[in-house]
Amino acid sequence: MPLVYAGVCSHAPGITGRKHLADPGIRDAFYAAFDDMRADLEASGAETVIVIAAEHFANFFMNNMPSFAIGMADFYDGPIEDSDWLGIDKFRAPGNRELSHRLISEIMQTVDVAYAEEWLLDHGIAVPLHFLTPRFDLPVIPVNINCQGPPLTPLHRAWTLGEALRRAADAVPERLAIIGTGGISHWPATPDSGKINVDWDLDFMDRWCRNDRDALLNYDDLTVYADAGQGGFEIRTFLAVSAAAGGAQGTVHFCEPIPIFAVSCTIASYDLGLLDI
Amino acid sequence: MSLYYVQKFLYELNRSADLQAAYVSDRRSVLDGYTLSDEEIGALVDPDIGLLYVLGVNGQILMHFAAFHQIEWHDYLQRMRDGVDEHGPVREGVYAMTGRVGTGECG
């Protein structure tokens, strides 16, 4: 069945871990946008949510770093971080090993992916789930793109992964949602944490909404690093969702810089209904 | 220098309660299994967050080491800025891609 939902959101650990330090007005507006995203996800009737994230050395390290990895387990524990630090209690999110197996088998026809039967969710997935499936009752399939340890996954390969995810999703009867998580410009966990290039973010999200493949792939890592920080490498997760959306047009529901959260906090989705549903 | 092994130790420390207990018990001995320079050992034992940043440790790993040592967020950021001032630009790793990181202007 075609995808029933496709969107993106921020995942910065400060969103939950440093919420007490944020301006309440903008913080609560962002949280409200997350609530709306949860309502849209629930209204879609999604039976499983595929979460494409850029995990941060929680499961994958430079001794064996995959360009792509997909979870294939019946449950995923998280957060791997200290609960007090992240502001999220320990949880066990349901997975669907059999569905993962079917999806991965199809994806592997065009993209070489690693699979993982064990995966400890870090903030890249835990923060979005905290807002979008707060009871942790919707099966999740985690997907990772290497956005952290150079050499990074090439942008065009992230796009190809998105296309493969869509093809695989279309081939199964389940109603699937796909959500990419990450920051746009940001310099997380560095001395420049809190620096945000708002103009760069808005330009990127304009390309994302137009689902303009050429424009979205017209970046290189050195320029991204200079203009958008190492956190900007996480645009790969957003690109994969664009590819999976298959030409659908997007809407930005929220995109405002919140420096203590270290990013332009973003919620956006594609209108799949006009094309596929 | 051996940034890979510095980060490998911190990666494993972040994931393992047993290793954390061993580190608390004897910070130096727990490093015996890793190929590290004296400077790196010193930075991990102190701990010297600023020097670890300058050595090239990724912040996604380093911030958890700081939290483990009960270093508050803004203090963590300041220690990295101080490290750049004291030891110079980041020497290796992703932050060395285009030179100095650390304007000291952000929160």
Side-chain angles (χ1 to χ4, degrees):
Chain A
M1 173 172 286
L3 291 174
V4 297
Y5 182 87
V8 293
C9 65
S10 303
H11 70 212
I15 293 170
T16 49
R18 296 191 293 277
K19 60 185 177 185
H20 58 292
L21 298 175
D23 173 77
I26 192 143
R27 177 198 64 196
D28 292 346
F30 175 49
Y31 285 2
F34 252 134
D35 290 341
D36 291 342
M37 188 179 192
R38 179 177 66 247
D40 289 344
L41 178 63
E42 292 174 350
S44 75
E47 298 168 279
T48 294
V49 57
I50 299 168
V51 183
I52 307 173
E55 78 113 66
H56 315 79
F57 308 111
N59 302 271
F60 308 111
F61 187 65
M62 280 74 80
N63 59 347
N64 193 5
M65 181 65 79
S67 278
F68 304 115
I70 300 179
M72 194 171 73
D74 281 325
F75 63 85
Y76 303 95
D77 290 332
I80 190 171
E81 296 96 337
D82 178 80
S83 284
D84 291 337
W85 180 85
L86 187 59
I88 297 177
D89 291 337
K90 298 297 182 186
F91 63 83
R92 173 164 288 183
N96 185 331
R97 185 184 186 283
E98 188 275 333
L99 174 58
S100 284
H101 193 289
R102 278 185 281 136
L103 292 171
I104 292 167
S105 297
E106 175 57 38
I107 290 166
M108 283 177 137
Q109 297 303 314
T110 54
V111 181
D112 297 326
V113 299
Y115 64 84
E117 295 198 52
E118 182 179 3
W119 190 314
L120 299 172
L121 302 181
D122 78 357
H123 65 268
I125 293 178
V127 169
L129 291 185
H130 171 78
F131 290 98
L132 299 177
T133 67
R135 297 178 298 279
F136 300 103
D137 53 358
L138 182 66
V140 59
I141 296 177
V143 177
N144 184 61
I145 301 174
N146 176 23
C147 305
Q148 305 292 347
L152 305 174
T153 305
L155 295 180
H156 69 91
R157 296 299 294 163
W159 188 274
T160 301
L161 174 69
E163 292 176 326
L165 279 164
R166 176 58 179 268
R167 188 184 69 249
D170 287 350
V172 300
E174 289 88 349
R175 299 171 67 88
L176 302 180
I178 188 166
I179 294 175
T181 85
I184 320 176
S185 75
H186 62 312
W187 287 253
T190 74
D192 290 323
S193 178
K195 178 180 175 181
I196 297 167
N197 187 339
V198 175
D199 290 341
W200 196 92
D201 291 347
L202 294 176
D203 177 71
F204 175 80
M205 289 310 298
D206 176 67
R207 302 182 197 204
W208 190 87
C209 285
R210 290 186 283 112
N211 207 337
D212 184 334
R213 180 185 184 277
D214 291 341
L216 285 167
L217 297 184
N218 190 27
Y219 292 99
D220 66 84
D221 286 340
L222 282 176
T223 304
V224 168
Y225 183 82
D227 295 339
Q230 83 284 355
F233 297 154
E234 293 180 348
I235 60 173
R236 287 161 171 77
T237 67
F238 284 35
L239 296 187
V241 173
S242 298
Q249 300 295 286
T251 300
V252 174
H253 305 289
F254 191 94
C255 188
E256 296 288 343
I258 304 181
I260 193 61
F261 294 168
V263 291
S264 284
C265 292
T266 305
I267 304 282
S269 64
Y270 281 119
D271 181 2
L272 300 175
L274 294 176
L275 294 176
D276 299 312
I277 305 301
Chain B
M1 60 192 298
S2 41
L3 175 61
Y4 172 79
Y5 289 104
V6 176
Q7 295 195 112
K8 183 179 181 183
F9 168 73
L10 294 174
Y11 163 76
E12 292 179 345
L13 185 76
N14 289 341
R15 291 173 53 86
S16 169
D18 290 342
L19 188 58
Q20 290 169 12
Y23 176 80
V24 169
S25 175
D26 186 340
R27 294 183 183 184
R28 190 169 293 273
S29 294
V30 79
L31 300 173
D32 285 348
Y34 300 85
T35 304
L36 299 167
S37 69
D38 290 343
E39 183 182 46
E40 291 162 342
I41 291 171
L44 290 167
V45 168
D46 278 351
D48 188 333
I49 298 297
L51 179 55
L52 289 169
Y53 175 72
V54 168
L55 291 173
V57 175
N58 192 295
Q60 297 292 347
I61 295 173
L62 186 58
M63 68 178 174
H64 298 301
F65 186 56
F68 176 71
H69 282 285
Q70 307 297 313
I71 296 170
E72 183 271 337
W73 180 250
H74 287 101
D75 185 15
Y76 161 67
L77 300 180
Q78 188 58 47
R79 289 185 189 215
M80 289 187 287
R81 293 171 188 139
D82 293 345
V84 173
D85 288 342
E86 181 177 354
H87 302 290
V90 175
R91 301 174 191 172
E92 194 178 351
V94 68
Y95 306 132
M97 285 177 64
T98 58
R100 183 178 188 274
V101 172
T103 65
E105 298 172 350
C106 305

